[in-house]
């Protein structure tokens, strides 16, 4: 697909895409080897992998229940909505799309105990309701928009072109108002407000700036912003007009011009967004000041902070000798790591690189004469991402997977251990079925392994928030908004000891018999002592903010305590006196009208119901010496096994053009596809114009054992005769390989700072297959990213690209090199800036490109709700070298006999357009050396794509 067609389509995807997670993912490709099954109810159809029939039924019941709750709030709804259960991710997440047809994708995994999503009641029910809010919010199209949809199809979504916090805020509001629990009712959102008021940040431009409501990668509260700020906004609207106000507002927006937000708000609520935010800031400040005053009347623990970076931290593990503590750390300007802090010096002594996504739990164990950290890491295989158990030997400085019966332990969502002893508890869940395993950790011949000792299958719908390993083991299970404590003694089944309303984040990690945990008993996450026999609790550590993890050390506690901006490690004193109280009574499940879902039996999936096209996108592309006008029709079935696109139009230089592509995906990670094209080709250096038509088929896949993508397939090409050669027919086979080795880019960085990309392509055309000539074309490339030694944010980019062709006329197999067309939007493979575009043409070509990339300023600002947001400005110093050979039938030039040099500077600015689409504006000034080089060549470029 051409870049501007990709831009058009992907931009449309972005307008109707929303995510439940804290970080919005791009449109995700499903694994190709799923054995898909379907079940349906009256208004929903669920697509799921074989073996997850019960989870599919729970999903349909939750979806029909969500529809009954939501329908009174929205003016329109689709007749049928697909729900895909994506059991190839171990992180709770989801997204909703209304094109090419309404569908929701759910990653049905339990939330982490320290996650904001832990405040949900029934997490599956809440997740489905949240995503269905997006479907109903975006679906209406009235007035002119309705007429456009009847012509162009499903991509016409006026409510989709709104800021992210408008979508997410409404969904968080309704998950909190219509169901038990919800982020709006959770301790984390309350803490963000309370601490920002206490530290003087509430209402300031740094924390409540309207242009940053959708969040940034470098400014707190990062990806939480659209959920948090959007909830505050919509909660105020809900207080004023409840369901009727939301219904009227959504209807008004669906007949409104995108980005003009004040009109519908004034029509329904008689206010503007600026005035509404002033009200929200004023009202919430008064509320939180009263709350802070009430908290400060009670005794609070003294905190002595050992770190000062206020970043993302979770999980604590104290070393067996009590001198160090390990914790997970995630900062926007750093890789995800485990950091080890020396408690005496308050210095970080070790940093271990770790995948960003991982389950709760971090263990520090003593085995013989060495210390071992046990954690979960994300293991990727084909298109799956699973949490697996791994160990790090601090003495050998080596990671190793922990296997049972020769296989990795996958789908691990929680783990715990004791500093002494070799027992682990882990919680696994997949496909809606959870279990707890007691494992023994063994060290034989310096190799670590685990052995299963006991197993317990969890009650349906519950999930584990924490363990305490000991005699007996303790487990906290969430059932809706309630927590149940289970005692697991040796030789017995787990027994329920206590149930109460609220969330238990983490048990204390000490070996003592006292049962202590982080609870939200007072609406804040604080440390409490629990007496399961008397069913009472007593506060041990009280704070104004909140605590996510702790470990008792002697008579004190090491804690992760929240401050405005993130968590820090601190010593906390135990309260001198603690009042004993009873637990909050268990909250019964809400009574609801029975749902008659009429769920069908399981069937094999058929793509026929969703594979037909639902939209077409007009396309205009300015090309050298002309304009192309056409239409683009993308389509895929809901399983993404079948993907195709049709594109065609007319070139004002006098030729039609068209292409069609189709791919069928199967197996672990394979695809077979084909296509045909008729394309006008313009040679910039000669001003010549001719046509190429052809087609081919491709088998593609991924070799996991060498982590390499590959493709191979037959190809046909017919080239119109030109001054470079007569008409030619070519029939052959093309193969390609691509390998990505450790390419990493930090959030907010301007470029990857490490890694290598290798690519290789080889096409052979033979007379024996019907080709006019025996010939070949080969290309190879390597791209290298290197961090500069003097500044972490500076980096080098090196690229070496070569092409070689032999055995046919020039018009049938050639390479073009040189600079870029003014106002260009993409870069050629053989780039030599400072020379005219397409100046170099031959059968042999080699280029080397070097760039030194560095930031100028991070801006992260927009103007109110204007649909353009400037992220930052950066520069690159560039240098290019090109050599080429054999232009005509006579070898009048040879590769490496002559080189063409250029240098230049580029100024780039990164933007977010229309709230979702990343854009880059680039201006470059270059000088080409030699007689054919340009003294000063100015180039403008605009890039825009979510790919």
């Amino acid at each position: 697909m051409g870049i501007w067609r990709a831009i058009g389509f992907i931009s449309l995807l972005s307008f109707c895409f929303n995510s439940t997670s804290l970080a919005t993912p791009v449109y995700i490709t499903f694994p190709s080897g799923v054995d898909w099954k379907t079940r349906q109810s009256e208004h929903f159809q669920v697509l799921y992998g074989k073996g997850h029939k019960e989870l599919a039924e729970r999903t349909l019941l939750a979806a029909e229940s969500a529809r009954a709750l939501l329908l009174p709030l929205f003016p329109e709804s689709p007749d049928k909505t697909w729900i895909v259960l994506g059991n190839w991710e171990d992180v709770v997440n989801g997204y909703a799309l209304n094109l090419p047809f309404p569908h929701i994708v759910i990653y049905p995994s339990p939330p982490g105990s320290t996650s904001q999503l832990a405040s949900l009641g029934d997490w599956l029910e809440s997740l489905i309701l949240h995503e269905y809010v997006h479907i109903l919010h975006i679906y209406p199209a009235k007035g002119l928009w309705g007429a456009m949809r009847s012509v162009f199809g499903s991509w016409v979504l006026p409510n989709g072109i709104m800021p992210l916090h408008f979508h997410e805020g409404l969904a968080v509001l309704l998950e909190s108002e219509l169901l038990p629990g919800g982020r709006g009712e959770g301790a984390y959102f309350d803490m963000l407000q309370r601490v920002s008021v206490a530290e003087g940040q509430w209402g300031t431009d740094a924390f409540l700036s309207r242009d940053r409501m959708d969040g940034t990668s470098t400014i707190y509260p990062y990806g939480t912003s659209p959920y948090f700020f959007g909830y505050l906004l919509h909660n105020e609207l809900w207080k004023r007009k409840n369901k009727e106000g939301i219904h009227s507002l959504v209807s008004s927006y669906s007949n409104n011009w995108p980005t003009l937000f004040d009109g519908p708000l004034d029509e329904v609520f008689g206010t503007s967004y600026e005035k509404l935010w002033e009200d929200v800031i004023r009202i919430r400040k008064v509320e939180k000041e009263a709350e802070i005053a009430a908290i400060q009347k009670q005794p609070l623990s003294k905190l002595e902070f050992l770190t000062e970076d206020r970043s993302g931290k979770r999980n604590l593990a104290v070393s067996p000798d009590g001198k160090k503590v390990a914790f997970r750390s995630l900062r926007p300007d750093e890789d995800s790591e485990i950091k080890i802090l020396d408690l005496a010096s308050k210095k970080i002594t070790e940093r271990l690189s770790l995948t960003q996504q991982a389950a709760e739990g971090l263990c520090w164990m003593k085995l013989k004469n060495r210390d071992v950290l046990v954690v979960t890491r994300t293991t990727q295989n084909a298109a799956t991402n699973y949490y697996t158990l791994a160990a790090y030997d601090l003495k050998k400085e080596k990671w190793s997977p922990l296997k049972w019966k020769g296989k990795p332990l996958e789908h691990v969502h929680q783990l715990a251990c004791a500093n002494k002893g070799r027992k682990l508890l882990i919680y696994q869940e997949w496909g809606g079925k959870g279990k707890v395993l007691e494992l023994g950790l063994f060290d034989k011949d310096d190799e670590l392994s685990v052995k299963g000792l006991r197993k317990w299958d969890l009650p349906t719908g519950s999930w584990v928030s924490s363990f305490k390993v000991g005699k007996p083991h303790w487990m906290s299970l969430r059932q809706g908004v309630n927590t149940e404590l289970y005692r697991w003694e040796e030789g017995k089944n787990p027994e329920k000891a206590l149930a109460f309303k609220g969330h238990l984040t983490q048990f204390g990690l000490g070996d003592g018999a006292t049962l202590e945990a982080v609870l939200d008993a007072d609406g804040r996450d604080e440390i409490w002592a629990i007496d399961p026999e008397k069913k009472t609790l007593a506060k041990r550590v009280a704070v104004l903010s909140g605590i996510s993890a702790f470990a008792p050390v002697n008579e004190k506690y090491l804690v992760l305590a929240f401050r405005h901006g993130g968590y820090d490690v601190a010593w906390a004193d135990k309260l001198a006196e603690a009042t004993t109280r009873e637990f909050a009574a268990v909250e019964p499940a809400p009574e609801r009208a029975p749902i008659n879902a009429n769920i069908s039996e399981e069937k094999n999936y058929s793509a026929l119901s969703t594979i037909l096209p639902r939209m077409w996108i007009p396309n205009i592309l300015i090309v050298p010496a002309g304009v192309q006008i056409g239409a683009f029709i993308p389509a895929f079935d809901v399983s993404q096994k079948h993907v195709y696109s049709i594109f065609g139009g007319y070139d004002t230089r006098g030729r039609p053009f068209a292409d069609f592509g189709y791919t069928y995906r199967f197996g672990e990670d394979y695809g077979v596809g084909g296509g045909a094209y008729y394309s006008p080709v313009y040679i910039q250096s000669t001003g010549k114009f001719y046509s190429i038509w052809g087609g081919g088929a491709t088998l593609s896949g991924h070799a996991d054992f060498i982590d390499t993508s590959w493709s191979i397939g037959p190809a046909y090409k017919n080239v119109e005769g030109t001054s470079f050669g007569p008409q030619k027919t070519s029939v052959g086979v093309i193969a390609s390989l691509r390998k990505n080795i450790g390419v990493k880019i930090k959030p907010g960085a301007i470029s990857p700072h490490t890694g290598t990309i290798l690519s290789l392509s080889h096409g052979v055309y033979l007379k024996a297959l019907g080709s006019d000539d025996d010939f070949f074309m080969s290309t190879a490339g390597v791209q290298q990213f290197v961090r500069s030694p003097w500044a972490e944010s500076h980096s080098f980019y090196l690229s070496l690209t070569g092409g070689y062709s032999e055995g046919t006329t020039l018009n049938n197999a050639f390479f073009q090199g040189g600079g870029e067309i003014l106002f260009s939007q993409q870069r050629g493979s053989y780039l030599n800036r400072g020379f005219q575009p397409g100046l170099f043409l031959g059968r042999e070509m080699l280029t080397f490109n070097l760039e030194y990339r560095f930031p100028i300023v991070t801006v992260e600002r927009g103007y109110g709700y204007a649909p353009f947001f400037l992220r930052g400005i950066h520069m690159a110093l560039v240098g290019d070298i090109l050599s080429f050979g054999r232009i005509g039938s006579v070898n009048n030039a040879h590769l490496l006999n002559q080189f063409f040099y250029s240098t230049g500077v580029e100024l780039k600015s990164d933007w977010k357009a229309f709230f979702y689409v990343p854009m880059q504006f680039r201006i470059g000034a270059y000088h080409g050396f030699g007689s054919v080089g340009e003294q000063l060549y100015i180039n403008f470029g605009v890039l825009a794509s979510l790919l």
Side-chain angles (χ1 to χ4, degrees):
M1 147 186 338
I3 187 168
W4 287 107
R5 280 174 279 160
I7 291 167
F9 181 47
I10 299 300
S11 297
L12 289 165
L13 285 179
S14 71
F15 294 151
C16 60
F17 168 83
N18 287 280
S19 167
T20 300
S21 72
L22 300 183
T24 303
V26 297
Y27 187 62
I28 300 171
T29 300
F30 301 168
S32 54
V34 181
D35 185 0
W36 292 109
K37 305 293 180 180
T38 66
R39 300 184 75 180
Q40 64 177 321
S41 59
E42 185 176 355
H43 304 101
F44 298 89
Q45 189 147 337
V46 63
L47 184 70
Y48 59 96
K50 182 179 179 181
H52 299 153
K53 181 179 179 180
E54 292 77 12
L55 180 62
E57 183 172 340
R58 286 174 55 196
T59 299
L60 289 171
L61 289 171
E64 290 289 354
S65 177
R67 188 176 189 276
L69 290 170
L70 292 173
L71 218 57
L73 283 79
F74 294 94
E76 297 179 47
S77 66
D79 295 331
K80 205 84 168 183
T81 300
W82 278 89
I83 302 176
V84 181
L85 296 180
N87 280 307
W88 50 86
E89 295 273 353
D90 272 345
V91 56
V92 60
N93 202 345
Y95 64 84
L97 284 170
N98 268 335
L99 60 84
F101 41 80
H103 67 286
I104 294 167
V105 178
I106 297 293
Y107 300 102
S109 293
S113 61
T114 61
S115 162
Q116 298 164 35
L117 295 178
S119 61
L120 301 178
D122 183 310
W123 62 265
L124 179 62
E125 188 176 63
S126 298
L127 191 60
I128 290 169
L129 181 137
H130 182 109
E131 299 304 337
Y132 196 52
V133 168
H134 294 320
I135 295 290
L136 297 179
H137 183 202
I138 296 168
Y139 187 76
K142 295 182 178 295
L144 177 61
W145 297 110
M148 289 178 61
R149 181 180 291 176
S150 65
V151 175
F152 296 109
S154 62
W155 66 263
V156 180
L157 300 164
N159 283 5
I161 313 173
M162 301 174 74
L164 184 61
H165 70 279
F166 281 42
H167 297 293
E168 297 300 349
L170 180 58
V172 172
L173 169 78
L174 297 180
E175 86 188 21
S176 305
E177 294 291 338
L178 303 182
L179 294 174
R183 277 167 281 188
E185 302 296 321
Y188 187 78
F189 275 18
D190 188 56
M191 179 178 67
L192 293 186
Q193 298 171 69
R194 184 174 60 254
V195 175
S196 64
V197 170
E199 297 190 20
Q201 297 296 317
W202 184 257
T204 66
D205 188 62
F207 186 60
L208 273 166
S209 172
R210 281 182 293 158
D211 58 323
R212 292 171 174 165
M213 295 298 177
D214 280 2
T216 76
S217 61
T218 59
I219 298 174
Y220 171 80
Y222 317 114
T224 302
S225 299
Y227 304 88
F228 174 64
F229 295 131
Y231 167 75
L232 297 179
L233 195 72
H234 285 85
N235 181 254
E236 182 61 28
L237 296 177
W238 181 266
K239 291 176 181 177
R240 297 183 183 187
K241 287 196 174 183
N242 208 272
K243 296 180 180 180
E244 295 76 13
I246 298 299
H247 183 284
S248 299
L249 189 63
V250 172
S251 180
S252 182
Y253 275 130
S254 68
N255 194 28
N256 184 50
W257 288 102
T259 74
L260 301 180
F261 309 121
D262 278 344
L265 193 63
D266 182 60
E267 176 186 330
V268 178
F269 290 92
T271 189
S272 66
Y273 269 94
E274 184 175 0
K275 178 62 168 60
L276 180 61
W277 267 116
E278 291 174 356
D279 293 342
V280 169
I281 292 170
R282 173 180 50 81
I283 293 169
R284 294 278 176 164
K285 183 178 181 181
V286 171
E287 292 176 351
K288 293 306 162 188
E289 285 176 338
E291 184 180 325
I292 291 167
I295 294 171
Q296 290 177 335
K297 291 179 180 179
Q298 306 298 321
L300 295 177
S301 300
K302 180 183 177 182
L303 297 176
E304 178 191 346
F305 284 97
L306 305 180
T307 63
E308 297 289 341
D309 55 349
R310 304 193 181 203
S311 62
K313 298 184 184 70
R314 61 191 180 107
N315 304 140
L316 287 176
V318 177
S319 62
D321 62 10
K323 296 180 179 180
K324 296 180 179 181
V325 64
F327 57 89
R328 294 182 185 269
S329 175
L330 177 61
R331 290 172 49 98
D333 57 343
E334 293 181 350
D335 296 326
S336 179
E337 297 175 317
I338 292 178
K339 293 182 179 179
I340 297 178
L341 175 72
D342 183 89
L343 296 176
S345 66
K346 301 181 183 181
K347 293 182 179 180
I348 301 296
T349 60
E350 292 182 74
R351 302 160 73 115
L352 314 177
S353 180
L354 196 67
T355 53
Q356 290 190 19
Q357 295 287 359
E360 298 289 349
L362 173 61
C363 293
W364 194 326
M365 307 177 75
K366 186 78 172 180
L367 300 177
K368 295 183 180 178
N369 61 345
R370 55 184 174 151
D371 287 3
V372 172
L373 294 177
V374 181
V375 298
T376 60
R377 299 192 301 175
T378 300
T379 299
Q380 185 172 7
N381 183 16
T384 62
N385 291 279
Y386 294 149
Y387 293 160
T388 58
L389 208 58
Y392 183 80
D393 189 319
L394 288 163
K395 184 177 181 180
K396 293 184 176 180
E397 299 183 346
K398 177 184 177 182
W399 284 102
S400 60
L402 290 178
K403 298 181 178 181
W404 182 25
K405 297 180 180 179
K407 295 182 179 180
L409 283 159
E410 298 177 332
H411 313 297
V412 180
H413 297 281
Q414 181 70 253
L415 75 103
C417 66
N419 283 3
K420 298 177 182 178
R422 298 191 173 197
K423 286 186 178 179
L424 290 164
L425 287 179
I426 67 168
Y427 160 46
Q428 294 177 292
E429 178 156 332
W430 191 59
K433 297 179 180 178
K435 61 184 177 182
V436 174
L437 292 179
E438 182 189 62
L439 303 174
L441 183 61
F442 296 91
D443 182 8
K444 184 178 180 181
D445 299 328
D446 285 340
E447 291 294 329
L448 296 175
S449 63
V450 294
K451 179 182 178 181
L453 303 177
R454 290 190 288 172
K455 183 185 80 165
W456 180 48
D457 293 322
L458 297 184
T460 300
S462 65
W463 58 277
V464 175
S465 63
S466 187
F467 295 123
K468 181 176 173 62
V469 177
K471 295 181 180 181
H473 302 316
W474 286 93
M475 299 176 286
S476 63
L477 269 63
R478 279 284 299 277
Q479 282 276 14
V481 295
N482 301 316
T483 292
E484 299 175 343
L485 296 189
Y486 281 80
R487 178 191 294 108
W488 198 6
E489 297 189 19
E490 195 73 35
K492 296 182 180 180
N493 291 325
E495 297 178 346
K496 187 190 297 185
L498 180 64
F500 57 91
K501 179 185 176 182
H503 177 54
L504 188 155
T505 300
Q506 183 220 307
F507 283 118
L509 301 179
D511 297 319
T514 304
L515 197 60
E516 296 178 321
V518 175
L519 295 173
D520 59 355
D522 279 344
R524 304 182 303 281
D525 289 325
E526 299 170 300
I527 302 175
W528 298 78
I530 302 172
D531 189 329
E533 302 300 329
K534 296 180 180 179
K535 295 181 171 48
T536 59
L537 69 164
K539 190 178 292 189
R540 289 285 188 256
V541 173
V543 292
L544 179 67
S545 56
I547 292 170
S548 68
F550 77 104
V553 180
N554 298 324
E555 294 300 315
K556 287 190 173 185
Y557 296 89
L558 269 175
V559 301
L560 287 178
F562 184 81
R563 299 197 279 183
H564 183 82
Y567 288 90
D568 273 314
V569 182
W571 286 111
D573 289 330
K574 183 185 295 186
L575 293 177
E577 296 182 7
T579 303
T580 300
R581 70 166 77 170
E582 294 183 352
F583 279 95
V586 170
E587 184 172 286
E591 293 186 8
R592 299 182 197 161
I595 298 296
N596 184 15
N598 294 320
I599 297 174
S600 69
E601 288 301 314
E602 182 176 86
K603 295 181 180 179
N604 291 325
Y605 168 68
S606 170
L608 294 178
S609 58
T610 57
I611 199 170
L612 295 178
R614 310 293 177 95
M615 60 185 184
W616 66 277
I617 303 170
N619 179 272
I620 298 177
L621 179 64
I622 299 174
V623 294
V627 176
Q628 291 181 347
I629 302 171
F632 175 48
I633 304 174
F636 57 87
D637 76 302
V638 72
S639 76
Q640 298 185 11
K641 278 185 174 291
H642 304 267
V643 181
Y644 68 90
S645 65
I646 304 169
F647 183 60
Y650 179 76
D651 192 302
T652 58
R653 295 171 294 190
R655 303 283 181 101
F657 60 89
D659 67 54
F660 167 77
Y662 165 81
T663 299
Y664 172 72
R665 302 172 59 249
F666 65 97
E668 286 299 318
D669 191 15
Y670 299 98
V672 60
Y677 61 90
Y678 178 83
S679 177
V681 175
Y682 187 78
I683 302 295
Q684 180 75 11
S685 59
T686 64
K688 299 295 182 180
F689 177 75
Y690 64 100
S691 293
I692 298 177
W693 60 97
T698 302
L699 175 67
S700 60
H702 188 90
D704 287 322
F705 66 97
I706 56 172
D707 192 26
T708 301
S709 299
W710 58 268
S711 66
I712 187 170
Y716 171 86
K717 179 176 67 172
N718 199 302
V719 178
E720 183 181 359
T722 70
S723 59
F724 290 121
Q727 182 270 339
K728 287 288 185 181
T729 298
S730 301
V731 184
V733 177
I734 298 176
S736 66
L737 296 172
R738 182 179 176 87
K739 184 175 180 63
N740 182 320
I741 306 173
V743 176
K744 295 181 180 179
I745 183 169
K746 295 178 181 179
I750 63 172
S751 173
H753 59 268
T754 185
T756 306
I757 300 174
L758 304 174
S759 60
L760 177 65
S761 175
H762 183 66
V764 178
Y765 300 85
L766 302 172
K767 291 181 180 179
L769 298 176
S771 182
D772 288 341
D773 297 318
D774 287 330
F775 73 99
F776 68 86
M777 288 186 69
S778 293
T779 62
V782 56
Q783 300 174 65
Q784 181 68 49
F785 302 94
V786 180
R787 178 183 290 155
S788 77
W790 48 82
E792 281 200 353
S793 58
H794 295 216
S795 63
F796 291 94
Y797 167 76
L798 301 88
S799 173
L800 181 65
T801 306
Y804 186 82
S805 176
E806 182 74 66
T808 188
T809 54
L810 185 63
N811 67 320
N812 198 34
F814 64 88
F815 306 98
Q816 278 185 285
E820 300 169 285
I821 303 168
L822 288 179
F823 302 101
S824 72
Q825 76 276 17
Q826 72 182 118
R827 310 202 126 159
S829 300
Y830 302 93
L831 186 66
N832 198 346
R833 295 157 284 197
F835 295 87
Q836 285 294 323
L839 177 66
F840 308 106
L841 183 147
R843 294 194 184 94
E844 304 166 354
M845 194 158 290
L846 184 69
T847 54
F848 174 74
N849 310 107
L850 173 64
E851 299 184 12
Y852 171 51
R853 300 171 175 177
F854 56 95
I856 300 297
V857 61
T858 299
V859 181
E860 299 284 15
R861 295 310 304 256
Y863 179 74
Y865 287 119
F868 291 97
F869 184 89
L870 177 58
R871 289 174 162 170
I873 300 172
H874 50 103
M875 292 187 69
L877 304 179
V878 306
D880 304 324
I881 305 172
L882 180 144
S883 180
F884 74 105
R886 301 199 309 133
I887 297 176
S889 57
V890 179
N891 293 346
N892 54 353
H894 293 280
L895 189 67
L896 305 182
N897 278 2
Q898 186 176 9
F899 293 91
F900 299 87
Y901 302 89
S902 65
T903 188
V905 59
E906 295 181 344
L907 181 66
K908 308 173 187 180
S909 61
D910 293 328
W911 299 75
K912 185 167 61 174
F914 297 101
F915 313 114
Y916 300 94
V917 183
M919 296 185 67
Q920 185 182 95
F921 292 88
R922 180 188 72 240
I923 180 171
Y926 315 101
H927 172 74
F929 298 94
S931 59
V932 295
E934 301 294 317
Q935 289 299 309
L936 181 63
Y937 190 85
I938 305 295
N939 172 261
F940 298 89
V942 180
L943 299 172
S945 175
L946 290 180
L947 292 176

